Amino acid sequence: MVEIKGRTHIGKRQLNEDRFVADAGWGVALVSDGMGGPAMGEVAATIVTTGMIDRLDAGESLPDAIANTHRAVVDAAENGNGKPGMGATLVVARFDGYDFELSWIGDSRAYLWNGELRQLTRDHSQVERMLASGKMSLTEARESYRKNIITRAMGRDQIPAGDVPMLQGTLGRGQRLLLCSDGLTDMLSGPEIAAVLATEPDSDHALEILVAKAVDAGGADNITAVLATADDSGPAPDNLPLLPAVTIARDDGHSEYFPPGY
């Protein structure tokens, strides 16, 4: 089976606008990072989380659930639940045994740990556009003042089901799928995250250390992470195809970026 655990921390913010789901029985891992300030981001992230739960439970496909939940955030703002302009990111994985579907909107990320840390989701952000065009390096991206400017969000613009990115994969025994908000990735580099996952087999302990390190590194934003781990009954990793990586990081400090179509 797949174990799913989650943890969140308010960081230095006055309010935690992150929401997460870590439900192994249901097979869902989800992180949503609200944006828009008090009475906005927390409302948007809550609508995203509860809306996704309800729609997936009702049997909707992942893209349909995301498109319909996006409209629910827009409708809520127009009807006075929250405020116009509120939004949230979303990264969600739905498991069927060891197989999973993965979708995302915004810059909350999913990583596969299989001895190295492979970023599976490509941020909807200005910085990612600059990385993809070769106008910025990974080091410059981490330090850029634009790194939190996203180009897509739940509750903003249009998100038809046909435009929802989706990946399908299988989690092999010992492999892990990490979903997280940018409160973690803004504070910790890929190699730093890889070093924790390489040395901490216990999910609760690994999450505790990741969040604590992000707090110690500054904790400027809310920090949320969900970790799905395949047990020893999972399929052999060597027999599984690898999903394309946006970045690859190792605990020895190596980090590499791959533009679209690489």
Side-chain angles (χ1 to χ4, degrees):
M1 64 176 291
V2 174
E3 172 193 71
I4 306 177
K5 298 292 184 72
R7 184 176 289 262
T8 190
H9 192 285
I10 195 171
K12 291 184 177 179
R13 296 293 182 90
Q14 295 183 341
L15 184 70
N16 195 337
E17 296 178 291
D18 284 1
R19 299 290 184 269
F20 76 89
V21 176
D23 192 322
W26 189 38
V28 172
L30 179 154
V31 172
S32 181
D33 178 0
M35 61 192 72
M40 294 176 69
E42 62 173 354
V43 173
T46 298
I47 293 171
V48 167
T49 303
T50 58
M52 289 298 298
I53 290 172
D54 291 344
R55 289 173 173 85
L56 291 176
D57 195 41
E60 291 188 17
S61 69
L62 208 50
D64 283 343
I66 289 174
N68 291 331
T69 300
H70 159 72
R71 285 192 288 271
V73 178
V74 174
D75 291 344
E78 291 176 350
N79 294 327
N81 182 13
K83 297 179 182 179
M86 70 180 182
T89 69
L90 170 67
V91 59
V92 54
R94 179 165 62 176
F95 283 88
D96 179 7
Y98 298 98
D99 298 330
F100 64 87
E101 296 178 327
L102 174 70
S103 288
W104 69 99
I105 299 292
D107 63 354
S108 290
R109 293 179 179 173
Y111 293 88
L112 175 69
W113 169 255
N114 66 337
E116 59 186 12
L117 190 70
R118 300 176 64 89
Q119 182 185 334
L120 302 181
T121 56
R122 193 173 296 277
D123 294 350
H124 298 125
S125 71
Q126 286 192 5
V127 162
E128 171 55 35
R129 287 178 175 176
M130 297 183 74
L131 276 168
S133 65
K135 296 178 180 179
M136 184 178 286
S137 68
L138 270 180
T139 299
E140 291 170 334
R142 285 188 55 79
E143 298 171 353
S144 174
Y145 69 90
R146 297 187 180 95
K147 65 183 178 181
N148 298 121
I149 302 175
I150 65 174
T151 55
R152 298 186 81 188
M154 301 287 284
R156 297 182 180 178
D157 301 319
Q158 300 294 319
I159 304 180
D163 287 347
V164 173
M166 190 169 78
L167 299 172
Q168 295 178 315
T170 302
L171 208 56
R173 56 177 173 261
Q175 292 185 341
R176 292 162 142 178
L177 190 68
L178 172 67
L179 277 56
C180 59
S181 63
D182 65 350
L184 182 73
T185 53
D186 280 353
M187 294 294 103
L188 300 183
S189 67
E192 288 173 321
I193 296 172
V196 174
L197 297 181
T199 56
E200 298 298 336
D202 180 78
S203 294
D204 285 321
H205 197 204
L207 289 167
E208 179 182 356
I209 292 173
L210 285 171
V211 170
K213 283 182 174 293
V215 172
D216 291 344
D221 199 355
N222 308 144
I223 304 154
T224 302
V226 172
L227 194 59
T229 305
D231 63 14
D232 291 339
S233 297
D238 292 344
N239 297 329
L240 300 175
L242 278 176
L243 291 171
V246 178
T247 64
I248 292 178
R250 298 196 296 261
D251 59 346
D252 63 1
H254 168 86
S255 188
E256 188 173 1
Y257 172 80
F258 302 94
Y262 179 84

